[in-house]
């Protein structure tokens, strides 16, 4: 094989590899929708749960609420959240205590406690990007007796969600 053929073959292989490497470029959150919830519990270690496009329900013509529900399998710690805000606006919003809950370390559902459970939306660009700080207190149900527990889990974090291109 001469040098010209070798360079030509290597060039073709490199181009093919480059195309394969770029094949997932349009599979990003901005195109498909999704995002993340980064949080800490009682000021401890930070955790991240990835959000799929279907993990968030946002207000539209038939709904007036924003609901985030993470998938248990996405949490390395075994946490799952359902956070609901009725009629969300920019600024501080109260989370709905009936539909907002947390499963901590694969325990049973712990619901919100107290009156100061805030989801503070700071971005809502044409309903395509939603970002918020969360400051919530949930029942601590990790010992199995959720009804008679006295402690709570203080969850603080950051939510970021993109609406997929097809859904805009």
């Amino acid at each position: 094989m001469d040098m010209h053929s070798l360079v030509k073959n290597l060039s073709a292989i490199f181009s093919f590899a480059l195309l394969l490497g770029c094949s997932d470029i349009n599979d990003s959150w901005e195109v498909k929708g999704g995002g993340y919830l980064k949080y800490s519990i009682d000021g401890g270690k930070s955790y991240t749960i990835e959000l799929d496009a279907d993990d968030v329900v946002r207000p539209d013509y038939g709904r007036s609420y924003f609901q985030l529900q993470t998938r248990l399998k996405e949490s390395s710690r075994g946490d799952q959240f359902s956070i609901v805000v009725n009629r969300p606006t920019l600024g501080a919003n109260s989370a709905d205590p009936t539909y907002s809950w947390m499963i901590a370390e694969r325990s049973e559902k712990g619901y919100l406690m107290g009156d100061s459970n805030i989801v503070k939306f700071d971005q809502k660009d044409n309903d395509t990007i939603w970002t918020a700080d969360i400051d919530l207190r949930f029942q601590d149900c990790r010992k199995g007796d959720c009804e008679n527990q006295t402690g709570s889990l203080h969850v603080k974090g950051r939510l970021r969600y993109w609406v997929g291109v097809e859904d805009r």
Side-chain angles (χ1 to χ4, degrees), residues 55-69:
D55 294 343
V56 172
V57 175
R58 63 191 196 287
D60 63 12
Y61 300 108
R63 294 182 287 263
S64 62
Y65 61 89
F66 177 93
Q67 179 180 17
L68 156 96
Q69 186 166 328

Side-chain angles (χ1 to χ4, degrees), residues 111-127:
Y111 287 88
L112 291 174
M113 297 180 67
D115 296 329
S116 185
N117 291 295
I118 301 299
V119 177
K120 185 178 181 184
F121 288 104
D122 54 39
Q123 186 176 17
K124 209 176 80 156
D125 296 341
N126 297 323
D127 290 336

Side-chain angles (χ1 to χ4, degrees), residues 108-111 139-141 143-149:
E108 61 182 280
K109 290 179 185 176
Y111 287 88
Q139 295 171 304
D140 185 354
C141 299
K143 294 187 177 155
D145 189 10
C146 207
E147 295 299 317
N148 296 316
Q149 59 81 36

